[in-house]
Amino acid sequence: HWTLLSVSLLNCLLSTACSVGLALAIALTVHSRGMHLVRGCDSSALPDDARVAIATNDCPFNTTRIYDTALALWFPAMLLAAAEAVLSGRCCLVALIFQGIGPCARSYSKEQV
């Protein structure tokens, strides 16, 4: 039970950190209109909005769809990380109940007797 508690608590913390990091990345990307995504491209030919950026020879990657693709991948990843954090938290709560610790532990032990 202690292994379940420690692993689920660690996973809950890591999943929460991942979802917060992805939310921050999404917020910064939307706020800068995608210009942080094309920061490695030192070309004056790039427009102010990364959504209409064109592929140039100065950029090591194709910039035409990087804004939409990044957001399309980050939103589901953030939702899945948040769901994983919630499920890990519930698993941690169950491990605490099995150990006799927590708010529901007393009623659970009475039901077992």
Side-chain angles (χ1 to χ4, degrees):
H1 296 183
W2 288 108
T3 304
L4 175 65
L5 177 65
S6 61
V7 169
S8 63
L9 185 62
L10 178 66
N11 191 39
C12 183
L13 292 173
L14 289 174
S15 298
T16 303
C18 183
S19 61
V20 168
L22 282 167
L24 181 64
I26 290 170
L28 289 174
T29 301
V30 169
H31 178 69
S32 71
R33 297 164 67 185
M35 288 310 295
H36 289 293
L37 297 173
V38 291
R39 182 161 292 189
C41 306
D42 296 327
S43 174
S44 60
L46 290 174
D48 291 335
D49 194 354
R51 288 179 286 180
V52 294
I54 57 170
T56 63
N57 291 335
D58 296 337
C59 198
F61 53 87
N62 186 358
T63 60
T64 54
R65 294 191 178 106
I66 191 167
Y67 182 81
D68 298 329
T69 303
L71 292 180
L73 292 174
W74 287 347
F75 274 118
M78 183 185 64
L79 293 175
L80 289 174
E84 183 179 2
V86 168
L87 292 175
S88 295
R90 290 179 59 118
C91 188
C92 182
L93 182 63
V94 167
L96 285 173
I97 291 171
F98 283 160
Q99 291 296 329
I101 305 168
C104 303
R106 292 185 196 123
S107 62
Y108 178 76
S109 61
K110 287 179 184 177
E111 288 175 9
Q112 289 293 339
V113 173

